[in-house]
Amino acid sequence: MDKQAQLEAFRKGIAQFVTFNDAEWKIFTPYLSFSSLSKKEHFAVEGKVCHYMCFITRGAVRYYHIKDGQEITGYFSFENELMSAYKSFLKRTPNTNYIQALEETELVMISHQNLQQMLNHPLLALKIERFGRLIAEYYICCYEDRVTAFVTQSPEERYTALEKTAKDIFQRIPQHFIANFLGITPVSLSRIRKRTLLQ
Amino acid sequence: MDKQAQLEAFRKGIAQFVTFNDAEWKIFTPYLSFSSLSKKEHFAVEGKVCHYMCFITRGAVRYYHIKDGQEITGYFSFENELMSAYKSFLKRTPNTNYIQALEETELVMISHQNLQQMLNHPLLALKIERFGRLIAEYYICCYEDRVTAFVTQSPEERYTALEKTAKDIFQRIPQHFIANFLGITPVSLSRIRKRTLLQ
DNA sequence: TGAAAACGTTAACAAAAGATAAGGATTTTA
DNA sequence: TAAAATCCTTATCTTTTGTTAACGTTTTCA
C-alpha cells in the first residue's frame, strides 16, 4: 500500500475519535511516519521503552508475555486498529511484554516525541489532547468488557462469546494463541471446542 | 468532613493528573457538587445512565454485576480514588452493573453536563481535556495489569499477589467479594487461603 | 523438495475449581 | 436483646482444567 493510501486509511480509521479539516491535516501529517513488519518480526520487546503509537493499515500482531520461559498471548490487533505497548509508551517505562507481527504488517506511526510537540503546537494541542483522551476512553471501555468477561464468565462462556462475535479470528490466528487470550491452555480449548460442537 | 476539607482532599488527590493554580481553582470548583452514600446505598444501578464522575473522600464502594440472579463483585474503590460507571458516563448508555457503598461514603462529584461546559470554557478546556486524558490513561494502565493477571496467573497466584500488595483489603472487605474480584468462588478462595497458609 | 518446526487433537492422570449443603460464629437490625 | 441475616469454613461429590506425552497433519524454510 502506498503512503497516500495508508494516510487515507488512517484518517478514516481515527474519524471515530477526531476529524481534521484539510488545513489541520496538512499540519498533522508531517508528524507521522511509516514502517512495516515482516512476519514474526517484533515491534516491541520486554525491557525496552516503546516510542511509538501505531495504526495498523494492514496485517495483524499479537501481544505476549513470557512467564517461566513460556509465551502467553494476551491480545491481538488487526488492520484499522491502533497498536502500542500503551503503558510503556505513556509512562516511558520499560515494556513488560512483546508485540510480534503475525503477518506482513504495515503501520502509520506517531512517535512519543512528535506527540509531545503536537501537544505544544497551538493549532494542534486541543485536538490532540482530545484525540488522546478519546483513544484512552475507547480502550477503557474495551478493557472493562474484557475484565468483566473474566470475572463473570467461565472459559467455555468466553469461548462461545468469542466464537459469536469474532468467528473469523479462528481462521486467522493459531488456536493456541486464542486459548491464551481466553485465559486457558490450548489443550483445554481443544476440549471445549469438541464439547460445544457435540451439544 | 466539611466541604472545604473535601475539596482539599480532592485537589490533592488529582494532583497526580493535573494541578490548578488558585485562579483556575476558583473557576473550577463551582462545577463540583457533593454527595454521600449510606452503607449499602447504590450509586449506580443497571439500566440507568450514570451522570457523575466522583472522587471518594471517605468510604468504599464495590462494583458488581448480576448474573443468573447472583451478584458478582468485579471491583472496589476506596477513599482518595476516583469512582464512576465509567463506560456509561462516557458513552451516555445504560449502565450494565451496580455500584454500592460498602461503608458510609462521601463524594465530590462532576456531572457530565458540567464536564461538557468546562470543555467549552476557554480558560478550562485544555486543562480539562488533559485531566480526562490522564485519568483515562491511568485507568488503562490499571486495566492492563488486571487483564495480564487473568491471562498469565492462576487464581492462587492472583490471591498471593493481592495478599502482598493490599493485605489490608482483607480486613475491610468481606472475603466472598474478594473471591469474585479474583475470578473464583468464595469456597475456592477459602481453600486457597488454607492451602497457602500450610505451605 | 525434503527435513524441521509448528499445530491441533487425544489420552491418561493429577490438581484445582464449581456446586451444594451444613454448621458455627459474628453482625445486623427490628 | 432476640431473631434474622451474613459470613467463613468444611465436607462431599462432580466437573473442569492443567500437565505431559504421543501422534498425525500441515506449514515453514533452508
Side-chain angles (χ1 to χ4, degrees):
Chain A
M1 212 183 314
D2 67 27
K3 291 188 180 181
Q4 208 48 49
Q6 288 195 270
L7 281 180
E8 266 319 298
F10 178 51
R11 192 174 188 174
K12 197 173 159 190
I14 63 172
Q16 58 175 310
F17 302 116
V18 66
T19 55
F20 294 88
N21 63 37
D22 289 348
E24 290 167 336
W25 190 248
K26 225 169 205 163
I27 304 175
F28 178 59
T29 50
Y31 289 98
L32 304 175
S33 53
F34 301 85
S35 185
S36 64
L37 302 168
S38 49
K39 188 171 178 173
K40 295 203 178 174
E41 189 177 344
H42 282 89
F43 166 75
V45 296
E46 188 174 350
K48 294 203 175 178
V49 175
C50 173
H51 296 295
Y52 295 93
M53 161 71 61
C54 305
F55 178 84
I56 302 175
T57 54
R58 189 169 69 93
V61 301
R62 72 178 176 116
Y63 303 63
Y64 68 93
H65 285 78
I66 293 188
K67 187 195 177 191
D68 305 330
Q70 283 228 315
E71 296 182 1
I72 303 179
T73 298
Y75 202 64
F76 311 99
S77 293
F78 300 95
E79 59 278 336
N80 299 317
E81 295 180 354
L82 294 164
M83 172 198 81
S84 182
Y86 217 56
K87 195 173 160 184
S88 169
F89 178 80
L90 293 175
K91 293 191 169 185
R92 321 307 301 140
T93 54
N95 194 21
T96 56
N97 63 352
Y98 298 80
I99 304 180
Q100 183 189 44
L102 290 164
E103 311 167 358
E104 188 79 17
T105 296
E106 291 182 349
L107 305 170
V108 177
M109 313 201 298
I110 304 175
S111 71
H112 191 268
Q113 198 180 356
N114 282 359
L115 182 60
Q116 293 311 311
Q117 285 185 21
M118 287 191 277
L119 287 171
N120 290 321
H121 189 298
L123 292 177
L124 289 177
L126 190 57
K127 198 154 267 193
I128 297 296
E129 285 284 357
R130 176 160 299 178
F131 187 24
R133 173 170 67 85
L134 293 175
I135 287 177
E137 289 178 356
Y138 171 80
Y139 278 101
I140 280 184
C141 293
C142 296
Y143 270 123
E144 226 181 88
D145 292 343
R146 187 147 160 70
V147 168
T148 298
F150 277 114
V151 170
T152 66
Q153 298 185 314
S154 67
E156 181 171 327
E157 288 172 317
R158 290 199 294 275
Y159 163 70
T160 308
L162 182 67
E163 217 258 350
K164 206 170 269 179
T165 60
K167 201 178 174 102
D168 42 320
I169 203 181
F170 291 93
Q171 265 62 61
R172 196 164 172 187
I173 306 281
Q175 189 173 304
H176 64 290
F177 292 154
I178 299 176
N180 292 165
F181 170 79
L182 292 170
I184 56 180
T185 60
V187 175
S188 189
L189 177 55
S190 184
R191 280 188 295 230
I192 287 174
R193 281 168 69 88
K194 187 176 184 183
R195 218 158 62 203
T196 54
L197 263 181
L198 299 179
Q199 280 160 13
Chain B
M1 214 185 309
D2 68 27
K3 291 189 180 182
Q4 208 48 50
Q6 288 195 270
L7 281 180
E8 266 319 297
F10 179 51
R11 192 174 189 174
K12 195 173 160 189
I14 64 172
Q16 57 176 309
F17 303 116
V18 66
T19 54
F20 294 88
N21 63 38
D22 290 348
E24 291 166 335
W25 190 248
K26 224 169 207 164
I27 304 175
F28 177 58
T29 50
Y31 289 97
L32 304 175
S33 53
F34 300 85
S35 184
S36 64
L37 302 167
S38 49
K39 189 171 178 174
K40 293 202 180 176
E41 188 176 345
H42 281 90
F43 166 74
V45 296
E46 189 172 350
K48 296 204 174 176
V49 175
C50 173
H51 296 294
Y52 294 94
M53 163 71 61
C54 307
F55 178 84
I56 303 175
T57 53
R58 189 168 69 93
V61 300
R62 71 177 178 117
Y63 303 63
Y64 68 94
H65 286 77
I66 293 188
K67 187 195 178 190
D68 306 329
Q70 283 228 315
E71 297 183 0
I72 302 179
T73 298
Y75 202 65
F76 311 98
S77 292
F78 300 93
E79 59 278 334
N80 298 318
E81 294 180 354
L82 293 164
M83 171 198 82
S84 182
Y86 216 56
K87 195 173 162 184
S88 169
F89 178 80
L90 293 174
K91 293 192 168 185
R92 320 307 304 141
T93 54
N95 194 21
T96 56
N97 63 353
Y98 298 80
I99 304 179
Q100 183 189 45
L102 290 163
E103 312 167 357
E104 187 79 17
T105 295
E106 291 182 350
L107 305 171
V108 177
M109 313 202 300
I110 304 175
S111 72
H112 191 269
Q113 199 180 355
N114 282 1
L115 183 60
Q116 294 311 311
Q117 285 186 18
M118 286 191 278
L119 287 171
N120 289 322
H121 188 299
L123 292 177
L124 289 176
L126 189 59
K127 197 153 266 193
I128 297 296
E129 285 285 359
R130 175 160 299 176
F131 187 23
R133 173 169 68 84
L134 294 175
I135 287 177
E137 290 178 356
Y138 171 80
Y139 278 101
I140 280 185
C141 293
C142 296
Y143 268 123
E144 227 181 88
D145 292 343
R146 188 145 158 72
V147 168
T148 297
F150 276 114
V151 170
T152 66
Q153 297 185 314
S154 67
E156 181 171 326
E157 288 171 319
R158 291 199 293 277
Y159 163 70
T160 308
L162 182 67
E163 216 257 351
K164 206 171 270 183
T165 61
K167 202 176 175 102
D168 42 323
I169 203 181
F170 292 92
Q171 264 64 62
R172 194 162 175 188
I173 306 279
Q175 191 172 304
H176 64 289
F177 292 153
I178 298 175
N180 292 165
F181 170 78
L182 291 170
I184 56 179
T185 60
V187 176
S188 190
L189 177 54
S190 184
R191 280 190 294 232
I192 288 174
R193 281 168 68 88
K194 188 177 184 183
R195 217 157 64 203
T196 53
L197 263 181
L198 299 179
Q199 279 160 14

